[in-house]
Amino acid sequence: VAGDRHVTFAPDVGGLAALLNGQRPSGPLLWFDPADGSLALAISNPNGAVFRAARIGAQRDVSVAENVGRVIAETALSVGLTPEFAGRLVDHGASGLGALDHAAGLVCPPEIIDSARERLPGSPDDPQWWRDYGVAAGVLMAAGNQLAPLTRLDRTAPFTSPSRGRRLIESMSEPATAIRIVAVCAAVVLLGPLLLAGLRLALLELKLPDLNAFLKEARNAEVQLAMYRELKDKVWPMTKLLSDVACNTPESIDLEQIRIRYGERVTVSGRAKKDSKSNLSAQEVVALMQDNLRDSNVFEEIYLNWGDSNSFGAYEFTLSAKVTNPYHRHAYPEELDYGTLTLADRLYGKRPEATTTLVSDESDLSDADDLETPAQTPPSDAAATPADDAGVERPRNDRTIRPPIRDGGGGRRGGDVASRGTDRSGAGGSVPASQDIPEPLSREQIDVMTLAEAQEAYSHLSQALQQARVDEDLRKRLWKDWRMVRDRVRELKKTAEGAP
């Protein structure tokens, strides 16, 4: 590169090839420069032409003509020309070199010059000019035809930087490197398993100091697993199968007998009646049970036999099924899972979770401040006191009435029948009074309670507040009574603690 211009060059043989242009002259084309001994040679042969570039060195007792003749003869004989023709080529070359008179120049047959002049208009016909500039004229003609790549050669060979992968491959191709790699691979193959086994043993010894004890435990576990696998193949989980049958049985079916024996069909007999909730007939209820059993992926080949019906429209039936996957754990929805939603919850609604410590005796109320509140949230007006239109608190009864307290025989003691009937009718709400719901208490009744009576009333009110069937109005009344009884218990406890 000279400045910003990329410099290229054209070899002498490129100019000779352009001058030859496919012709077959009887003599050679050569360019010789005695200053540096460079020689460019082109010889026609039956297969085309042969080109050679050489450098002639100075030798003792050997002339330049003899050296050039030797190169011509070697080149002619290398392409299969006869020795006689090679000799004639050497003679032509020697005569041409004599005409150069030890100066650089071109030696070629006259027909080559004539052909070049026709292809290069305006060129002179002076032989000396062609002797001096013939190669340059050939390079000029080569730049305009298929020989143009020969006129744009770089002074140095192009250099490409190989990639890392190629450099790695080339380095591995070297014999010394290949031998090292083979030796390392052989060492890894032979010693690698031993090294890995040693590291694994060291890690196991670090994690398991007492290896024998762990091995014994592992052997026992294998024996147990083998026993479990044997049991799984020969024993059914009877409790689970009973649970599957129960979960897939609708509420309107009463099961009378369930027969499960290993290897045999499960047999279920019972009585089906109409389901008032879903308005399904007895036959449709049993068909629903069949579908549930089939969808559980535990039973298959479910067959049904019908029996007699009674006067209430209930039908007896017998159902048998084949157990195909006894250990399959089916994800039952809540409406089918009796473990999540019991029969009582389905019939009467879910019961609230009891988080209250119920007070049953005097020892549970050893400290008045430890009384706990039932889990249900009291209504906003639970602490309100019934009042008349004038806003003045009105007692329920002017007489002194003992609170209704259960006796040991399940009956009630104390209180007045008429007053209880009046209080029951004034409690409000749609739920009728029962033995689970305490009767209303007035302030006068609570004020005359003893500590034992107040504790028992407190316990009954706490139990009643936890019942799901208590409506809103009744709950408000129970909360009011519960608060007054709680305050009475605290008052009596403080009084007892302050007595001498």
Side-chain angles (χ1 to χ4, degrees):
V1 179
D4 295 334
R5 298 181 60 187
H6 186 71
V7 178
T8 60
F9 73 97
D12 296 336
V13 293
L16 296 181
L19 291 174
L20 186 59
N21 195 28
Q23 301 180 62
R24 296 181 180 276
S26 57
L29 280 75
L30 64 90
W31 165 268
F32 180 70
D33 187 358
D36 55 5
S38 60
L39 173 66
L41 177 65
I43 299 176
S44 177
N45 61 77
N47 296 325
V50 58
F51 300 91
R52 183 177 181 183
R55 186 178 293 275
I56 304 299
Q59 300 181 6
R60 291 183 179 182
D61 302 331
V62 178
S63 62
V64 175
E66 292 178 355
N67 287 330
V68 173
R70 179 176 55 80
V71 174
I72 295 173
E74 292 175 355
T75 305
L77 294 176
S78 66
V79 295
L81 297 177
T82 61
E84 292 79 8
F85 190 77
R88 290 195 295 271
L89 292 176
V90 171
D91 293 339
H92 283 292
S95 61
L97 288 176
L100 292 177
D101 193 15
H102 303 289
L106 173 66
V107 176
C108 63
E111 60 270 22
I112 297 298
I113 301 298
D114 295 338
S115 175
R117 288 177 58 200
E118 293 178 0
R119 289 184 287 122
L120 191 63
S123 59
D125 57 356
D126 182 10
Q128 183 63 37
W129 187 90
W130 284 99
R131 199 176 290 125
D132 295 335
Y133 304 106
V135 174
V139 170
L140 181 60
M141 289 185 288
N145 56 25
Q146 66 271 21
L147 299 177
L150 292 178
T151 63
R152 296 191 293 270
L153 299 181
D154 292 331
R155 187 172 298 276
T156 58
F159 176 78
T160 57
S161 178
S163 62
R164 293 182 179 179
R166 184 175 182 83
R167 289 199 299 269
L168 179 61
I169 294 174
E170 291 177 353
S171 62
M172 293 173 61
S173 302
E174 297 179 0
T177 305
I179 292 174
R180 295 191 188 95
I181 293 175
V182 171
V184 171
C185 293
V188 170
V189 171
L190 296 177
L191 302 179
L194 296 177
L195 180 60
L196 292 177
L199 292 175
R200 184 179 180 184
L201 178 60
L203 183 61
L204 289 176
E205 291 178 350
L206 180 63
K207 291 185 175 181
L208 304 175
D210 191 0
L211 184 59
N212 294 328
F214 282 98
L215 290 176
K216 182 179 179 179
E217 184 179 352
R219 285 192 291 268
N220 294 336
E222 291 179 357
V223 173
Q224 292 178 0
L225 289 176
M227 181 186 67
Y228 292 149
R229 285 193 292 268
E230 189 69 16
L231 290 175
K232 182 178 180 181
D233 295 336
K234 296 184 178 180
V235 178
W236 283 351
M238 299 300 180
T239 305
K240 175 185 176 300
L241 293 178
L242 285 173
S243 174
D244 289 329
V245 172
C247 289
N248 291 305
T249 303
E251 301 170 12
S252 57
I253 293 180
D254 296 331
L255 298 181
E256 298 177 351
Q257 184 182 17
I258 300 177
R259 183 175 179 272
I260 303 177
R261 180 175 295 178
Y262 174 78
E264 298 181 2
R265 297 176 63 85
V266 174
T267 304
V268 178
S269 60
R271 181 177 288 105
K273 55 188 176 181
K274 181 179 179 181
D275 189 353
S276 58
K277 292 183 179 180
S278 58
N279 198 22
L280 296 178
S281 64
Q283 293 85 349
E284 291 174 336
V285 170
V286 178
L288 177 61
M289 180 179 178
Q290 286 183 281
D291 295 338
N292 292 341
L293 291 173
R294 190 177 296 106
D295 295 340
S296 66
N297 296 324
V298 179
F299 306 96
E300 289 184 358
E301 299 180 10
I302 303 170
Y303 303 126
L304 179 65
N305 293 322
W306 289 101
D308 299 331
S309 63
N310 57 18
S311 57
F312 298 99
Y315 285 83
E316 295 181 354
F317 71 94
T318 300
L319 183 146
S320 65
K322 179 181 178 182
V323 180
T324 57
N325 194 1
Y327 289 92
H328 174 70
R329 300 186 64 180
H330 183 64
Y332 291 103
E334 183 178 299
E335 60 270 14
L336 293 181
D337 190 356
Y338 280 94
T340 304
L341 192 65
T342 64
L343 182 60
D345 293 337
R346 301 182 189 196
L347 295 177
Y348 307 112
K350 282 190 175 182
R351 294 174 61 87
E353 297 182 0
T355 58
T356 303
T357 302
L358 300 179
V359 181
S360 59
D361 53 22
E362 185 176 358
S363 61
D364 293 335
L365 288 174
S366 58
D367 189 356
D369 292 335
D370 294 336
L371 297 179
E372 298 183 3
T373 304
Q376 288 81 3
T377 303
S380 59
D381 57 347
T385 303
D388 53 12
D389 297 337
V392 180
E393 183 176 352
R394 180 176 55 197
R396 297 185 181 275
N397 201 331
D398 294 338
R399 293 179 301 168
T400 301
I401 303 175
R402 290 288 182 179
I405 302 176
R406 300 178 187 272
D407 57 15
R412 296 179 182 270
R413 55 184 174 85
D416 182 81
V417 176
S419 63
R420 288 199 298 270
T422 304
D423 293 340
R424 185 185 301 112
S425 61
S430 60
V431 178
S434 68
Q435 60 180 359
D436 294 332
I437 304 299
E439 296 183 1
L441 298 174
S442 64
R443 172 62 66 180
E444 289 78 7
Q445 290 176 303
I446 296 174
D447 290 341
V448 298
M449 286 182 181
T450 63
L451 180 59
E453 293 174 344
Q455 290 174 343
E456 187 172 358
Y458 179 86
S459 176
H460 293 164
L461 289 169
S462 299
Q463 295 176 8
L465 282 170
Q466 296 177 13
Q467 297 189 28
R469 63 188 184 88
V470 177
D471 61 11
E472 187 65 23
D473 294 337
L474 182 56
R475 189 177 302 279
K476 291 180 180 180
R477 194 267 296 173
L478 291 174
W479 267 105
K480 175 178 175 294
D481 294 349
W482 181 87
R483 291 178 181 275
M484 290 191 297
V485 171
R486 181 195 61 183
D487 295 340
R488 177 61 178 171
V489 172
R490 290 178 177 177
E491 179 183 355
L492 293 174
K493 291 294 292 183
K494 292 181 179 179
T495 303
E497 291 175 357

